[in-house]
Amino acid sequence: MAGRRLKAAVYVQDPTTREELVLLPGDCPEPEVAVLIPNPDAWEVPPGECGPEPIAVGEPAPSGSVSAADPEADEADGTGLKKQSPRRSRTSSASS
């Protein structure tokens, strides 16, 4: 069961410290903890390999900077928010 990902939340007792552990979906427990989870419904099928988490598409850059590919980047003030154009009030002309 080592190297597999959980697809369901699981509560187990740590074999060394006897603490209650809460393992969440997507977690890859250590082999000594994984053997405590015999229910096959708790594991991904087919087994997902544990490794570095992939970066999801559309996440902000780690530095928080605006991407050059963003067409609105020129209008941003560095906070990633689009600058608002000043509002102009309408004046009504009364012709008598």
Side-chain angles (χ1 to χ4, degrees), residues 3-95:
R4 295 179 65 189
R5 287 190 189 276
L6 291 168
K7 71 173 185 180
V10 178
Y11 297 86
V12 295
Q13 190 176 49
D14 186 289
T16 56
T17 64
R18 302 288 182 214
E19 289 182 75
E20 184 178 71
L21 301 175
V22 179
L23 304 173
L24 300 175
D27 284 352
C28 297
E30 296 295 323
E32 58 272 5
V33 176
V35 298
L36 302 173
I37 308 167
N39 187 346
D41 291 337
W43 300 100
E44 286 186 355
V45 178
E49 290 298 318
C50 293
E53 291 291 321
I55 297 176
V57 176
E59 283 187 1
S63 64
S65 62
V66 177
S67 169
D70 185 2
E72 296 179 4
D74 294 337
E75 299 182 40
D77 62 0
T79 62
L81 300 175
K82 185 177 175 183
K83 286 185 180 178
Q84 301 245 341
S85 60
R87 294 184 178 244
R88 296 184 185 170
S89 61
R90 287 187 167 176
T91 57
S92 59
S93 59
S95 27

